[in-house]
Amino acid sequence: MARFDPRGKVNRALLVGVPAYDFKQPEHPFGVSGDLGAVEHNLAGLERALREGGVFADDGITVTRPHTVDEFDQQLDTAVEAAEGLLLLYFSGHGAVPSTGDELWLLMRRATIVPGDESVFRGAVPWKSVLTVLSRARAQQVVVILDCCYAGNASAAWNALGTAQRQRTSLLMSVQANNRIDAGDGGSPTPYTAQLVRFLHEGVSAEGGKVGFAELARELWAYMSEHHTTLREPAEQWEPQSRAATSGVDVLLAAPPVRSPQAPPASEPDPARGGSGGGPSSPQSPGPGPGPAPTPAWLARLRPLTGRRLAVAIGVPAAIAGLVATGIATLGGGDGAPCKPPLELRLLTDPDLEPTVRKAAEAYLTSAQNTSEGGCRRTGITVYSAGAAAAVAAFNRQSDPWQRPVADDTNPQRDIGPQPDIWIPGSSASVERARTASSERTYVALEADPEPFAYSPVVLAVPQGPAAEPLAERVGPLAALTDALRKRQPTSEIRRTDPENTDAGLLATVGLYGAGAPDPAAAEQGVAQPGPPARTGGDLLCTLPDDDTADKRTTVLVPEFLLRTGVGCDRTTRVRRMAEYPVDVPGLTPTFVRVRWLGPERDKAARDGAAERFHAWLTGKGAAAKSGAKDSASAVRGGLAVFGNDGFRSASGPRKPLGNGSEPSADTGVVFSNFGALDDPGQLGGPVPPAAMAAALKGYREASGPGRVLFLLDSSGSMGSLWEGPGGAPGIISQSLAGLGEQDEYGVWAVATERDGSRAYSEVLPFGKYQRKEAQSAIAAKAQVKDLEAEPDKALVAALDYMRQRGTDGRGPQLIVYITDDEDNNRLAEGGRLGTLLQAVRTGRRIPVVMASLDSAGCDKGKPDAAVSEASGGRCLDTKSDLVARLRDEVARTGTGDQG
């Protein structure tokens, strides 16, 4: 595994600890449970380990004990702004989750807990907001370590991060979700941080004592699950959790210098001072030969704990010490051997399928199929998704750069994720589209099942008011269903998701182009809408117009299963919808694909076995299922049951709902009529030829002809720190050019107002047609930061006038993209300038404006960027999501270029 080495870079470690609380029970009814004396020892030990670890300079480590949220925010902002290489955040203190949810909150010193139907934490920081702040860091790698109750609940927000943020953010959590850990006796570190410090100090590998994130996570899991239990009845295995950055690149956390055997031990830190004794010590020079470092007195207290000594250290009453010891003895199996860290499989799937696939993977982790005879977990699974068209292109033509990225504009590791072991596309036809022609060189082999394992038709989800009631009127050709709908409700509108992003959107497009429309352009008129299409079916169902009138007239083409699973917002914004079944629209056919990367394959036999066990459990097929292995039948039922519970149908035969008798191995008892679908609609859409999907995607990209895009690049002085490299503003524009072809026209303006106020912009790339590399070279050479201010309103108004003048021929779509750090947005509040800008956006021919904010909060409701993009029918993008990939998608919808 490649490893990022931050040594020599500007690195920052922020160690946050809350050892004492102002409001405690029983003196304060809304107080926390008590102080945490162990936190002082955590801070002192970890600070010393990092200072001696060779990665962080003395001035790169900050220890803080915040009283308030404001104090915490200030320290976090400072670290985020300073770090360029590695940013490490550690928190130890009280963690809490509300009574009706699972979001983690980090409690500061003055925190109180107000009980009620949903607990309120005053003086606490929501974990989601911490991730949002970290997302704007310039650091190449971000590592977070949480040692608190409910630390494992932090994984949900990490899973929801955009692709770009997951690729550089790694997370260590001291305990699994929804579990508390004991505060200890206050005289020593908490068990988790004690071992964290030990491993950082002593090293966990033979590689000169160097410690990377991946091995640290493995060793912490192995040690804690062997030696400790959480405080529950019955005793439960203590399983620290981790989430590694999805780029597949490890990160070096410590590389302590080799010390002479004669070197004196470091002085013991003074917890009362909250530091490290006499101050930071300078690294000592290596002795004449290698030898182990002496063990400082503070570290000697951290030896592995067993039996009664363990019970005392983690605060277990002596009366149940025997129970704790018994629990430990059984964690690793009958012979007492510890469980080894499980092998991790990487699973790539379609964005519409990701929620269900994630549920299946989570269910599998604790299944009998994934549990050894000794009670150990065999396999872990990382689930992630990427745009369907981009995934197909990457397998088809980019398998080499997927293994070895060589260019900024073609980097599947960044844009999609790590090389997967398993791929589950939304359509079996996508597998054939992803295969490379036999005459072309490839570095990947796709071994797909001959049949899909589940099915979901793409349906018209019609508001209940205008929906047809008789069965015969709910099934038929798409054109006939839509014509009948418009007769019942002339104001009806039809929406479809982005065909670039999901297979379901592309399958709906196959149906649209074959449903009586003379050409793609005519078909697109039937689903035309202001602004870009929704990225997924779930997004579409949950982002339809908020007003009831628009909601009641809007019909959407989505996979049928989303009528059951994709309506988490229906209580507040959705009308009930009924499914109508177009027989000429192909359905979703999730298919299991084993992905093999050519060349040396690490842990090949073990990886093959892990993939086959998951395959058998998920699909009910494969060697493990046929062998009659113990509990395999129930495991197979569990796999298909997850898809059945989410509203999927049988992949074969009459397409009956999974669990209604069509699959004896999946008895879920789902009744489709409960959520607006039909249990038996009759004949549904059959398989789709791969060529039909490819033709529909090409037709969609070219439906409106060549496009015109004008890029506005904030070049004011504040952009200096956001300029260099592929993630800098000019680099982001260069990468987005992948969505433009040779027939598209585009140009780049630098937005910075001359000192005399004469112009709010200057030309970087003249408007015209280009070869991509030619344009990228010109942007790299001419785009420069200027010691000037920007006036975004003046530049945007000029851009609108320019594009409207060039669009008088009525040919092709147009788009304006403004990339900015938002530092000059405060000018828009002066003299009604924002109102004037919004009026200019709305007046005349509408041109979508994509506001691409390099601030994580740039698109928050009420911010100028959100207002401008909404008024124009464009999209607002910020760093809370994968801004680079999303912007490339927006540009590709306007241009004719191939994203691959």
Side-chain angles (χ1 to χ4, degrees), residues 453-454 617-620 635-645 658 663 665-666 668:
F453 60 85
W617 180 88
L618 181 67
T619 68
V636 170
R637 284 199 298 270
L640 290 179
V642 175
F643 276 77
N645 280 325
L658 281 171
E663 293 282 346
S665 61
T668 64

Side-chain angles (χ1 to χ4, degrees), residues 459-463 466-467 478 481-496 512 523-531 540-541 543-558 575 577 580 846:
V459 301
L460 281 166
V462 185
L478 178 59
L481 293 176
T482 55
D483 287 346
L485 172 63
R486 289 185 171 116
K487 288 179 181 177
R488 293 193 300 269
Q489 187 181 57
T491 59
S492 288
E493 299 176 2
I494 299 175
R495 300 282 182 264
R496 168 215 53 198
L512 285 167
E524 289 299 324
Q525 288 298 316
V527 291
Q529 65 179 76
L540 179 55
L541 285 168
T543 57
L544 289 169
D546 288 338
D547 67 278
D548 290 341
T549 302
D551 192 12
K552 290 176 181 177
R553 70 169 179 257
T554 304
T555 292
V556 296
L557 273 163
V558 292
V575 299
R577 284 179 159 74
E580 297 187 3
R846 199 179 202 192

Side-chain angles (χ1 to χ4, degrees), residues 90-114:
Y90 168 86
F91 174 82
S92 182
H94 279 302
V97 297
S99 55
T100 58
D102 58 4
E103 181 183 354
L104 176 66
W105 291 70
L106 309 179
L107 276 58
M108 302 297 112
R109 176 165 180 158
R110 295 189 61 79
T112 57
I113 303 174
V114 182

Side-chain angles (χ1 to χ4, degrees), residues 580-667:
E580 297 187 3
Y581 296 81
V583 296
D584 49 356
V585 176
L588 280 186
T589 51
T591 304
F592 190 98
V593 183
R594 177 72 169 96
V595 183
R596 297 189 182 278
W597 297 90
L598 304 190
E601 188 173 352
R602 186 178 180 183
D603 303 323
K604 182 178 186 301
R607 202 162 289 277
D608 283 347
E612 173 56 30
R613 285 192 299 272
F614 179 62
H615 172 253
W617 180 88
L618 181 67
T619 68
K621 302 171 183 176
K626 295 175 182 177
S627 67
K630 182 180 179 181
D631 290 333
S632 65
S634 61
V636 170
R637 284 199 298 270
L640 290 179
V642 175
F643 276 77
N645 280 325
D646 270 13
F648 281 81
R649 295 175 177 270
S650 168
S652 59
R655 312 285 197 190
K656 292 183 179 179
L658 281 171
N660 283 8
S662 61
E663 293 282 346
S665 61
D667 184 13

Side-chain angles (χ1 to χ4, degrees), residues 550-581:
D551 192 12
K552 290 176 181 177
R553 70 169 179 257
T554 304
T555 292
V556 296
L557 273 163
V558 292
E560 178 194 51
F561 79 90
L562 288 176
L563 293 178
R564 178 177 177 86
T565 65
V567 290
C569 54
D570 62 347
R571 288 180 297 175
T572 55
T573 61
R574 300 279 67 79
V575 299
R576 179 174 170 80
R577 284 179 159 74
M578 309 294 289
E580 297 187 3
Y581 296 81

Side-chain angles (χ1 to χ4, degrees), residues 58 168 345 360-361 364 400 443 475 519 528 619 761 784 872:
D58 285 349
R168 66 164 182 162
L345 293 175
Y364 175 71
D400 187 13
Y443 295 86
V475 182
D519 56 57
T619 68
Y761 66 91
Q784 296 180 351
S872 69

Side-chain angles (χ1 to χ4, degrees), residues 210-232:
K210 294 180 180 179
V211 184
F213 177 89
E215 56 192 347
L216 181 62
R218 287 196 300 268
E219 294 294 333
L220 284 168
W221 186 93
Y223 180 90
M224 298 300 293
S225 62
E226 175 188 359
H227 289 280
H228 302 294
T229 59
T230 52
L231 301 182
R232 274 194 172 188

